Amino acid sequence: MSGRDHWQGVHSQKDVDDVSWWQEPDDLWLDLIEDLDLPSATPIVDVGSGSSMLADALVGLGYTQITALDISSAALDRIRERLGEAVRYEAADVADFAPGSPVGLWHDRAVFHFLTSESARSGYGRSLHRALAADGHAIIATFAPDGPERCSGLPVQRYDADDLAAAVGLKLVQAQRRVHRTPWGAEQPFTVAVLSR
């Protein structure tokens, strides 16, 4: 089964809040974005949007150039039902993503850790560097070294902040450890890195 088929199945068959990565709107890690104090017209891409409420929150904060990127069109359809044309939608593999103009913020909560092959990580890195503005930032969250070894039936690669920064070829600005609680109460430790060129 291809990655696209896997994620299309997940987002077609499960309720939005019946996946381990679901965050209630009040639990979104928006403070990391707010701390960057980005102008409202900053182009932002949310990598692996899934059916997350992040795009909704960004629209609510006044951001006007948001791209929801996901390999699953079913996931993006759920966001489109809520937000209509307030967001741009891109159904593509992250390795194939090429925005029309540079982005000021690349946001990825839990896509990069699914890339367990060197070729997949390299494709991600090329897209990230192609997309990111010279003064742009990336916020990337992966499972921490003591986090789960699998998610959604797939193996993952776990990172500490220094290894994550090195893997994507960006400078580490800030690192945090955050613990996500799944809808059924399990705790998942994450490494969250704020990065720049």
Side-chain angles (χ1 to χ4, degrees):
M1 177 183 292
S2 73
R4 186 178 311 275
D5 291 342
H6 174 83
W7 293 111
Q8 189 73 358
V10 167
H11 291 289
S12 297
Q13 298 166 13
K14 294 192 174 207
D15 291 335
V16 294
D17 58 356
D18 191 32
V19 290
S20 63
W21 54 86
W22 173 253
Q23 289 178 299
E24 293 291 338
D26 291 344
D27 294 330
L28 296 170
W29 298 340
L30 285 174
D31 59 300
L32 298 166
I33 297 172
E34 291 174 315
D35 287 349
L36 294 174
D37 197 27
L38 302 170
S40 61
T42 300
I44 297 172
V45 60
D46 183 30
V47 177
S49 291
S51 35
S52 165
M53 300 296 290
L54 182 70
D56 308 59
L58 293 173
V59 168
L61 290 172
Y63 290 102
T64 59
Q65 294 191 51
I66 304 160
T67 298
L69 170 66
D70 203 284
I71 199 168
S72 166
S73 59
L76 296 176
D77 287 344
R78 288 176 168 175
I79 299 174
R80 187 180 283 110
E81 288 173 7
R82 298 191 311 262
L83 296 178
E85 299 309 309
V87 172
R88 180 175 170 260
Y89 304 93
E90 183 86 25
D93 186 307
V94 65
D96 300 325
F97 178 63
S101 58
V103 300
L105 176 62
W106 174 283
H107 180 272
D108 168 4
R109 182 183 172 273
V111 169
F112 190 69
H113 66 204
F114 283 108
L115 307 181
T116 58
S117 72
E118 183 59 39
S119 63
R121 289 189 295 270
S122 294
Y124 180 105
R126 284 190 299 274
S127 287
L128 169 57
H129 285 269
R130 181 172 57 233
L132 196 63
D135 61 348
H137 287 84
I139 298 175
I140 302 177
T142 67
F143 284 143
D146 59 336
E149 295 180 357
R150 298 182 70 82
C151 182
S152 188
L154 300 174
V156 298
Q157 179 74 40
R158 301 173 296 174
Y159 293 90
D160 66 24
D162 290 328
D163 289 340
L164 179 53
V168 297
L170 293 175
K171 176 182 153 191
L172 184 62
V173 175
Q174 179 189 160
Q176 292 188 12
R177 175 185 172 88
R178 296 213 173 176
V179 177
H180 167 65
R181 185 174 297 276
T182 69
W184 41 91
E187 292 189 345
Q188 297 179 331
F190 274 79
T191 296
V192 185
V194 179
L195 306 145
S196 67
R197 288 198 181 274

